[in-house]
Amino acid sequence: MERSSEVTPIPDATAQVAEPWKFCKSSLIGKLRQHLTNSRKRPTMATPCSSGLDVLLNTLQNAGDTESMLNILNVLDELLSAGTDRRIHYLISIGGSEALLTALVSSARCYTPNYTILLPLLHLLAKVGHRDHQIGLKAQKADAVLVVLSLLKQNAKNAQRAAACLWVLRVFCSSVTTAAMLGRNRGLDIVFKLISPHTTKHLRTVKAAVDVFAAMLCSKVNCRTAVAKGYIGDLLKLYEDWHINDAKLENIPIRRALLHCLHSVANSSVGRKTLVAEGGMHLLFQTSQNCLTTKGLESLVEPAVQLMRKCYPKVPLPLTSDKSAYSFPLPGRPVDVWDADLGSQDGGLEDDSDEDTEKEEPDNRDYEDDLETDVNKLRPRPEPDRPLEQLGQYMRLCPELHHDFQDLDSSSEVDESSDEDSSLEGNFSKKIPRGKRSKASKGDSLTPSSPDSPISLELNHGSEEDNRLQTRDLQKHYLNCSRKGLDGHCSMVGRLLENYGTFIPNHDPHLYNATAASTKSIAGYSILAFPDFWGHLPPQGQEPMAKRPPHVQRNKVFEDIQRLLCPEKIINKVVFDMEDPSPQSSYETYPSYLRFFSKFESGNLQKVIQVRSHEYDLILNADVNSSAHYQWFYFEVSGMLAGVPYRFNVINCEKGNSQYNYGMQPVLYSVKEALEGRPQWVRTGSEICYYRNHFCPRRGQSSFYTLTFTVTFCHDDDVCYLAYHYPYTYTTLQTHLKMLEKSVDPHKVFFSHQNLCDTLAGNSCSLVTITACPTSGAWKHLHHLCNRPYVILTARVHPGESNASWVMKGTLEFLCSSDPVAESLREAYIFKIIPMLNPDGVINGNNRCSLNGEDLNRQWLKPDPNFSPTIYHTKGFLYYLNSIGRTPLVFCDYHGHSRKKNVFLYGCSMKETLWQSGSPINTASLKEDPGYRTIAKTLDRIAPAFSLNSCNYMVEKSRASTARVVVWREIGVLRSYTMESTYNGCNQGIYKGLQTGTQEMEEMGMKFSQSLLTLRKNSINYNCRLIHHAPALLDLDDRVLDHKSNNCYEDDEPSCTEEIEYSSCSDMFGANDLDMEVNGNTSSAEEDDEDIDICKNGMRHTDKKSQLLPNFLQQEALETLTIKSGQCNSFNISNGHFC
């Protein structure tokens, strides 16, 4: 039946209401009927929508009789208690908070306050105010803050009234300035008196007092006052008292509230120091350990752990300086000029201003705020950033356009490495003058003569047992590429390869050794890491992501806290220092610790401190000429015992989260395993987690993060290498390119390896050209070659992203292969590949920057030829191609992503950027080729690791100087991409739950190359082999790869199961929990029984219905409010729902 639009008459049931409540018929009902009846005659629909609540609020503020106010309060409470918070927020939006505050002040200022009205008014104000972010400021404006404080003072001995006042004060303290006002008016003293030691009475009031005290401590001034008056020590004693006497576990909510109060104290440096000085760390640690052994106290452990983490005194890293151990003199700059700006960041480790600032809304700056909305900056601008006459120098980088190919029997004439190998082998000692090497004897053993080489390698020809190589003796010091001791070294390496020879595709240890001699490093590396020299194969099988044990981070934090509480049990011995080799010289005397080493190419480990017998703190080196960018590590460890778990803590990581929290493991290479025929990097480590610690730089305020993992080695006295990800060195690249050049058929493949430019340190930045040789030297075939579009691929601009090099390796090997798709690609394109844009950073173990201390991928707008030569000349080469009418069809920069899974593309789209940013520009009028999505769609069909849903084509302001955006905008390349590859693994398809290995990364490089074929499928030569190998690329296969990326959206990782940060502590419970407490505060007679119920169950789970007035009056009130406007579009009073 449809509801009538006429005014609903008062039900007959109201006549049965008891005599004391008949006032509602003559007062409130009459006003509502008159107002709602008149509202039907109004022509607009908007006004009557809120008329019901308007009547209630207006009547509440102006009512002069107790009965009317009580009825209105009950109606409001009943109405707002049902449904969702939307009703309360609507009430707030039409001035509900102000109306309640006005009524409160008016009622409280009477000569004799009427608590029959004040109590339900306070209850309702607490419920509404908890959801009103501006309630504190509104209360100040209405002069309600001190009024409620006065009521609390007057009713301190009345538990029911005191609790109501406390809840209102608590919501007022959402404003820091309101909390400070309470503090100035002795609010701390008044409230603290209500926090009693362990008791069984008035528990609700005690808990409310603790909550208010915690809320007031959000003001730093109040916190200082609490410290000065000794309240911090008293809070600790109270917590201990409640902990000891709560044997029946009936007071858990109060104990949690006390912890929350201590968290508020710890938000200031003076509070943290006082907590530590008063023995808070010992107390919290002991009580937490007790809670762990008692079922039902789990909820107390986590806040206690977080509090201890927050109070743990910050200490600088045990280094003499924040600066990198390596510095490089830049052209025209003093050596230390890069550190000049750090003084502006100098300051104490704490920020503890005396002034309080108003709490603002959390920074919810959307991603859209970073999107570029200026159309002029989104439109292509092809004008070069340099004179056109300078572009002629790049003509030499296009030998394929000028080669006559008359003698196709000869190899490519651009071959600078044919004579290079012999020269490297004959005279490579001059390249690294600082390399140190002991002389080798003419016998079969090499003996060291300095502390740097404490162990000898012996190859004795005797019995089979004697002829075994002892891996504990295979120290990195003997893979030495200095000229000194060369004869003995070559003899040793030869016998090593003869006895333990292995075949690694596209790798030759002899060639690697010779190539390494020409690699220039700042430290003058003279030692090769065994995995790089020997080579390695992909893992034998796919490795699953590591499962995170429950509470692993908490257990590690407990161990960290014990360092502070029990310093006598900590060894704290430096066992490795890159700048001071003396610690390692004492190993023979004290062989009880592991040995570490990192002074080899791409190595990064600055210092190691032994904490316990099997635990070590590792400190990474900052990027050269920098004091930041800690992530990449690569080091050698030896002297271990098999079967013993060793804990490694990398204590100066910078990023706020890591894939190590989501199943990623570091990689390990065992020399003994390699010599037994298993030369592989494998994922390793257990009990892995990543969290903020208490270490901080000497300058600045932010603390670092700890990556901790445990490794159990399989062999005694092995020599192992640990790395953040599969290493790929500069020398590996150069060796690989030389072997590729020798492997291709010069009659079919045009392979040119050139030097784009020299880096700051004098290393060569390689540029590789790959395309198909013409069928003959005839003009027709040469013309076809010269008209092939260009594809530009770059990688490794960030040295720590070694996965980008493995993807590039897959691309290079595939393009040089005899695969039919590769042949078609060579015939369709000319590939220009710069596989390592930052050789110096890779060589010296940097994570982000080059030797200039800057991120090269932020230099593309105006690259400096002196400080960023590789970027300057890469961009110049792109300008050159653009100037001769050969703008590349595709540009892709290979990267690695440390915080996401899968592989995905970032591209550029003007229309998508403007649309996503909410720009008023009509994007329908803009013309844009949608072809920038073709490659991603193809990869979604053919590449198991690729995630289409993670791709993004927005142009961000913060990325305006990256390669992707600059090449798209300035060079005019529509398909300009960054391809991001995960360090971890995939969460979709056939690789779901698996960590990627080198084989999967190389496969991704191959798949990206294959996807390019779809751009030229209308102009390629089809043959049976091509159709058989690439049906998906040619749209001949409708099958979609089983990774369901079109049906899922998993962008960023979910929140970690354990808190990575500890800087903040949220409210102990939400608005609904407060509602339940308020609803339970109904009568003094019931309070003691309800207190027991609250403490046993954590919170009293009462019905959300109002309990301010008897139930029969509640029914009368609701029936009265069935009166409604027939035109109401927003609010329906009869059923309590918003329309």
Side-chain angles (χ1 to χ4, degrees):
M1 171 183 270
E2 294 185 1
R3 191 181 298 273
S4 173
S5 61
E6 299 295 328
V7 176
T8 305
I10 303 173
D12 295 339
T14 58
Q16 303 174 10
V17 179
E19 186 68 21
W21 309 106
K22 287 184 179 180
F23 67 89
C24 64
K25 292 183 179 181
S26 59
S27 58
L28 179 61
I29 297 177
K31 294 179 181 180
L32 285 172
R33 177 184 287 125
Q34 180 180 5
H35 188 89
L36 293 175
T37 303
N38 293 336
S39 68
R40 291 183 62 248
K41 302 177 181 179
R42 299 174 185 175
T44 61
M45 298 175 60
T47 302
C49 293
S50 59
S51 59
L53 286 178
D54 284 340
V55 169
L56 293 176
L57 296 177
N58 290 332
T59 307
L60 178 66
Q61 297 178 78
N62 301 318
D65 56 298
T66 302
E67 293 81 3
S68 296
M69 293 190 68
L70 281 173
N71 201 33
I72 293 170
L73 289 172
N74 190 69
V75 169
L76 286 173
D77 187 67
E78 186 75 25
L79 190 62
L80 299 177
S81 296
T84 65
D85 284 352
R86 183 180 176 186
R87 297 181 176 185
I88 298 181
H89 289 299
Y90 177 75
L91 178 72
I92 294 170
S93 69
I94 62 172
S97 299
E98 290 86 344
L100 293 174
L101 290 168
T102 301
L104 174 66
V105 172
S106 176
S107 301
R109 284 179 174 173
C110 295
Y111 181 75
T112 304
N114 187 347
Y115 287 98
T116 305
I117 296 175
L118 283 175
L119 194 60
L121 188 56
L122 289 168
H123 289 168
L124 186 59
L125 185 58
K127 292 181 180 181
V128 174
H130 196 67
R131 296 163 173 86
D132 187 346
H133 299 300
Q134 301 297 320
I135 188 65
L137 299 178
K138 293 176 181 179
Q140 291 185 57
K141 187 176 181 180
D143 296 329
V145 179
L146 298 184
V147 168
V148 178
L149 183 62
S150 177
L151 290 174
L152 175 62
K153 187 176 181 181
Q154 296 170 19
N155 296 277
K157 295 184 178 180
N158 187 309
Q160 188 182 28
R161 298 175 185 175
C165 294
L166 288 167
W167 288 322
V168 173
L169 290 177
R170 174 185 163 196
V171 300
F172 285 175
C173 288
S174 62
S175 166
V176 180
T177 55
T178 306
M181 174 188 290
L182 289 169
R184 290 193 299 270
N185 289 274
R186 301 183 62 82
L188 289 172
D189 301 330
I190 296 171
V191 173
F192 194 80
K193 290 179 181 178
L194 299 175
I195 306 176
S196 66
H198 182 266
T199 181
T200 58
K201 294 184 178 294
H202 310 312
L203 300 179
R204 184 180 288 110
T205 304
V206 173
K207 182 180 181 301
V210 177
D211 290 334
V212 176
F213 200 80
M216 285 194 290
L217 291 177
C218 66
S219 164
K220 291 183 180 179
V221 173
N222 287 349
C223 190
R224 288 182 176 276
T225 302
V227 169
K229 293 186 175 183
Y231 286 146
I232 310 306
D234 293 339
L235 285 172
L236 290 171
K237 293 177 183 177
L238 286 168
Y239 180 71
E240 184 178 19
D241 180 69
W242 283 90
H243 174 79
I244 293 173
N245 293 292
D246 187 24
K248 296 182 179 179
L249 310 183
E250 295 177 343
N251 303 307
I252 294 176
I254 293 179
R255 292 162 67 178
R256 290 185 65 202
L258 286 168
L259 283 174
H260 181 60
C261 194
L262 292 172
H263 266 284
S264 298
V265 171
N267 286 333
S268 69
S269 63
V270 64
R272 291 190 292 272
K273 292 176 182 177
T274 306
L275 276 170
V276 174
E278 294 286 345
M281 295 288 282
H282 288 273
L283 173 64
L284 292 169
F285 185 83
Q286 292 173 0
T287 55
S288 298
Q289 296 299 312
N290 293 336
C291 291
L292 287 174
T293 60
T294 305
K295 186 178 181 180
L297 294 181
E298 184 73 19
S299 62
L300 298 177
V301 177
E302 186 60 26
V305 171
Q306 292 295 88
L307 181 56
M308 287 186 283
R309 292 177 65 192
K310 189 188 294 187
C311 292
Y312 201 118
K314 289 185 179 181
V315 295
L317 286 174
L319 299 173
T320 57
S321 172
D322 292 335
K323 298 189 298 183
S324 171
Y326 298 141
S327 62
F328 183 81
L330 298 174
R333 294 187 188 177
V335 174
D336 292 331
V337 69
W338 60 270
D339 195 42
D341 295 336
L342 293 177
S344 60
Q345 304 173 3
D346 198 3
L349 300 180
E350 310 289 349
D351 179 19
D352 195 32
S353 171
D354 286 335
E355 298 183 3
D356 291 314
T357 56
E358 181 61 45
K359 279 186 181 177
E360 299 178 355
E361 291 293 319
D363 185 10
N364 292 326
R365 187 172 71 97
D366 292 331
Y367 168 73
E368 286 78 8
D369 293 340
D370 189 37
L371 296 180
E372 185 59 72
T373 57
D374 187 343
V375 179
N376 293 325
K377 293 183 178 180
L378 290 174
R379 287 200 174 103
R381 181 179 62 85
E383 296 81 8
D385 62 358
R386 64 199 76 186
L388 291 176
E389 54 269 18
Q390 293 185 8
L391 301 180
Q393 62 179 308
Y394 302 108
M395 183 185 299
R396 66 179 181 85
L397 300 178
C398 295
E400 70 284 352
L401 300 181
H402 311 291
H403 200 290
D404 57 11
F405 293 96
Q406 294 301 317
D407 186 5
L408 292 178
D409 293 333
S410 62
S411 61
S412 172
E413 66 183 30
V414 185
D415 186 359
E416 300 178 359
S417 61
S418 58
D419 298 329
E420 190 173 321
D421 294 342
S422 60
S423 64
L424 288 175
E425 294 177 4
N427 187 21
F428 56 84
S429 62
K430 298 179 181 179
K431 301 295 183 180
I432 308 178
R434 284 177 284 180
K436 294 183 179 180
R437 172 68 184 171
S438 58
K439 280 190 175 182
S441 64
K442 295 182 180 180
D444 294 328
S445 64
L446 299 175
T447 57
S449 59
S450 69
D452 288 341
S453 301
I455 301 175
S456 64
L457 172 65
E458 296 185 357
L459 292 174
N460 298 316
H461 296 281
S463 65
E464 181 178 353
E465 181 177 356
D466 293 337
N467 198 36
R468 293 176 185 169
L469 177 65
Q470 299 298 315
T471 52
R472 69 172 182 268
D473 294 335
L474 182 56
Q475 193 71 344
K476 67 273 160 180
H477 311 290
Y478 299 99
L479 298 176
N480 190 314
C481 53
S482 65
R483 183 66 183 179
K484 189 175 181 180
L486 177 62
D487 294 338
H489 167 66
C490 292
S491 176
M492 180 275 294
V493 169
R495 284 195 296 272
L496 182 67
L497 293 173
E498 180 180 352
N499 293 343
Y500 301 92
T502 182
F503 174 74
I504 308 296
N506 290 315
H507 182 79
D508 181 357
H510 291 290
L511 180 58
Y512 186 94
N513 185 54
T515 305
S518 62
T519 300
K520 301 178 179 65
S521 62
I522 295 176
Y525 297 142
S526 59
I527 295 166
L528 305 180
F530 186 87
D532 304 323
F533 161 78
W534 192 258
H536 49 92
L537 297 171
Q540 289 183 343
Q542 294 176 324
E543 299 171 292
M545 296 179 190
K547 293 184 178 180
R548 185 183 178 109
H551 309 301
V552 59
Q553 177 181 303
R554 184 176 70 189
N555 297 336
K556 300 303 179 183
V557 169
F558 275 135
E559 294 179 14
D560 295 344
I561 293 171
Q562 285 181 310
R563 301 189 193 187
L564 178 68
L565 302 181
C566 305
E568 69 280 359
K569 297 182 179 180
I570 303 303
I571 298 174
N572 200 32
K573 177 181 177 60
V574 177
V575 297
F576 172 75
D577 191 337
M578 189 167 60
E579 299 178 285
D580 180 13
S582 58
Q584 299 199 69
S585 63
S586 60
Y587 178 79
E588 295 294 338
T589 307
Y590 304 100
S592 59
Y593 56 82
L594 298 176
R595 288 164 288 172
F596 296 85
F597 191 78
S598 65
K599 296 185 71 172
F600 48 77
E601 187 177 348
S602 294
N604 190 316
L605 181 64
Q606 184 170 355
K607 195 172 186 177
V608 180
I609 299 172
Q610 186 180 20
V611 179
R612 299 180 178 91
S613 58
H614 300 108
E615 181 180 356
Y616 297 84
D617 281 352
L618 314 179
I619 302 175
L620 306 182
N621 189 29
D623 284 3
V624 177
N625 282 359
S626 170
S627 59
H629 309 297
Y630 307 93
Q631 176 173 297
W632 171 257
F633 60 84
Y634 180 21
F635 59 88
E636 178 198 283
V637 59
S638 59
M640 67 285 292
L641 297 174
V644 175
Y646 291 90
R647 178 184 173 185
F648 298 98
N649 310 309
V650 182
I651 62 173
N652 62 331
C653 301
E654 285 183 327
K655 295 194 174 184
N657 200 351
S658 171
Q659 280 294 313
Y660 281 116
N661 273 331
Y662 303 98
M664 178 178 166
Q665 296 172 287
V667 293
L668 177 142
Y669 186 102
S670 166
V671 171
K672 179 165 285 189
E673 289 288 313
L675 296 178
E676 291 178 356
R678 296 179 293 276
Q680 294 160 340
W681 284 100
V682 295
R683 301 277 189 169
T684 190
S686 60
E687 300 181 359
I688 302 173
C689 54
Y690 184 97
Y691 57 92
R692 186 182 286 277
N693 59 34
H694 62 282
F695 292 103
C696 59
R698 293 188 172 272
R699 299 184 179 185
Q701 301 172 4
S702 62
S703 54
F704 289 111
Y705 294 81
T706 289
L707 163 62
T708 181
F709 55 92
T710 299
V711 177
T712 302
F713 298 98
C714 298
H715 305 285
D716 288 330
D717 289 330
D718 198 356
V719 178
C720 294
Y721 292 81
L722 285 165
Y724 182 89
H725 196 65
Y726 303 95
Y728 192 98
T729 66
Y730 172 79
T731 303
T732 298
L733 171 66
Q734 297 302 314
T735 305
H736 185 222
L737 293 179
K738 293 174 183 177
M739 298 197 71
L740 275 181
E741 187 170 11
K742 294 179 181 178
S743 68
V744 299
D745 183 351
H747 298 88
K748 297 181 179 180
V749 181
F750 182 88
F751 186 103
S752 171
H753 179 194
Q754 296 174 277
N755 180 23
L756 172 69
C757 64
D758 286 339
T759 65
L760 289 175
N763 292 292
S764 171
C765 180
S766 296
L767 184 145
V768 177
T769 303
I770 300 175
T771 191
C773 290
T775 306
S776 69
W779 180 89
K780 177 182 178 181
H781 295 145
L782 294 178
H783 179 73
H784 177 266
L785 183 150
C786 292
N787 281 280
R788 295 171 186 168
Y790 279 89
V791 172
I792 310 297
L793 305 178
T794 62
R796 210 67 185 278
V797 69
H798 295 144
E801 296 171 3
S802 61
N803 43 359
S805 284
W806 288 104
V807 177
M808 181 60 77
K809 181 175 184 286
T811 295
L812 287 166
E813 291 187 355
F814 178 73
L815 292 178
C816 293
S817 70
S818 58
D819 186 282
V821 178
E823 293 176 354
S824 297
L825 286 169
R826 291 194 297 265
E827 293 172 355
Y829 298 107
I830 299 174
F831 291 90
K832 295 290 184 178
I833 301 175
I834 306 174
M836 194 169 286
L837 278 169
N838 193 347
D840 291 343
V842 173
I843 292 168
N844 293 285
N846 284 6
N847 178 64
R848 189 80 177 176
C849 303
S850 183
L851 300 188
N852 60 2
E854 296 178 342
D855 183 348
L856 290 184
N857 202 34
R858 297 298 186 274
Q859 309 302 313
W860 280 80
L861 274 177
K862 295 182 179 179
D864 190 304
N866 296 317
F867 302 127
S868 307
T870 60
I871 305 302
Y872 179 83
H873 291 293
T874 301
K875 187 178 181 182
F877 177 59
L878 290 167
Y879 270 135
Y880 169 74
L881 293 177
N882 182 272
S883 68
I884 63 173
R886 305 301 303 278
T887 300
L889 182 66
V890 176
F891 172 87
C892 189
D893 190 19
Y894 293 5
H895 282 254
H897 206 293
S898 65
R899 297 178 68 171
K900 289 187 178 182
K901 293 184 174 69
N902 310 313
V903 182
F904 48 93
L905 289 177
Y906 290 139
C908 300
S909 168
M910 178 169 60
K911 295 183 71 171
E912 290 194 35
T913 303
L914 292 173
W915 180 82
Q916 184 69 28
S917 65
S919 172
I921 298 174
N922 182 14
T923 56
S925 62
L926 299 176
K927 293 183 179 181
E928 185 176 54
D929 186 347
Y932 60 86
R933 285 181 168 269
T934 304
I935 291 178
K937 291 180 179 179
T938 304
L939 288 172
D940 190 50
R941 290 170 56 89
I942 66 174
F946 190 80
S947 172
L948 182 64
N949 288 321
S950 295
C951 296
N952 190 310
Y953 303 95
M954 309 301 168
V955 180
E956 307 95 326
K957 298 174 185 176
S958 59
R959 302 292 193 274
S961 58
T962 60
R964 165 177 62 97
V965 177
V966 172
V967 172
W968 170 74
R969 180 172 177 252
E970 297 190 20
I971 311 300
V973 179
L974 172 70
R975 299 172 181 84
S976 180
Y977 305 107
T978 296
M979 184 163 69
E980 299 278 0
S981 301
T982 181
Y983 287 98
N984 185 359
C986 299
N987 55 12
Q988 61 178 29
I990 61 175
Y991 293 157
K992 184 175 182 178
L994 301 175
Q995 299 181 79
T996 56
T998 57
Q999 186 170 346
E1000 288 75 30
M1001 288 183 281
E1002 291 182 43
E1003 178 192 58
M1004 190 63 229
M1006 176 189 69
K1007 295 297 184 182
F1008 181 82
S1009 302
Q1010 292 177 346
S1011 70
L1012 300 175
L1013 194 65
T1014 58
L1015 304 179
R1016 298 276 289 169
K1017 62 183 180 181
N1018 294 328
S1019 60
I1020 60 176
N1021 295 322
Y1022 289 87
N1023 55 60
C1024 295
R1025 293 181 64 224
L1026 179 60
I1027 294 174
H1028 175 73
H1029 280 77
L1033 292 172
L1034 304 175
D1035 292 335
L1036 302 178
D1037 189 348
D1038 294 331
R1039 290 174 298 173
V1040 179
L1041 198 64
D1042 180 25
H1043 53 57
K1044 300 181 181 179
S1045 63
N1046 288 310
N1047 301 319
C1048 67
Y1049 188 84
E1050 297 179 354
D1051 189 18
D1052 294 320
E1053 294 290 354
S1055 299
C1056 187
T1057 55
E1058 297 183 85
E1059 289 291 336
I1060 302 171
E1061 304 289 341
Y1062 56 80
S1063 58
S1064 63
C1065 181
S1066 59
D1067 202 352
M1068 297 303 292
F1069 50 85
N1072 291 333
D1073 298 321
L1074 179 62
D1075 291 348
M1076 284 187 276
E1077 285 201 358
V1078 172
N1079 291 338
N1081 195 38
T1082 56
S1083 66
S1084 301
E1086 299 174 344
E1087 186 186 20
D1088 291 344
D1089 293 337
E1090 290 176 353
D1091 280 340
I1092 295 174
D1093 186 52
I1094 288 173
C1095 289
K1096 284 184 177 180
N1097 299 283
M1099 197 65 65
R1100 184 176 185 269
H1101 298 284
T1102 61
D1103 196 321
K1104 290 185 67 176
K1105 291 184 178 180
S1106 170
Q1107 299 184 20
L1108 301 184
L1109 294 176
N1111 186 61
F1112 63 85
L1113 179 59
Q1114 298 172 22
Q1115 181 65 31
E1116 161 69 15
L1118 286 179
E1119 290 173 347
T1120 298
L1121 288 178
T1122 56
I1123 303 171
K1124 74 179 191 72
S1125 169
Q1127 299 296 326
C1128 182
N1129 294 322
S1130 174
F1131 193 81
N1132 188 330
I1133 295 178
S1134 63
N1135 57 24
H1137 292 288
F1138 286 96
C1139 301

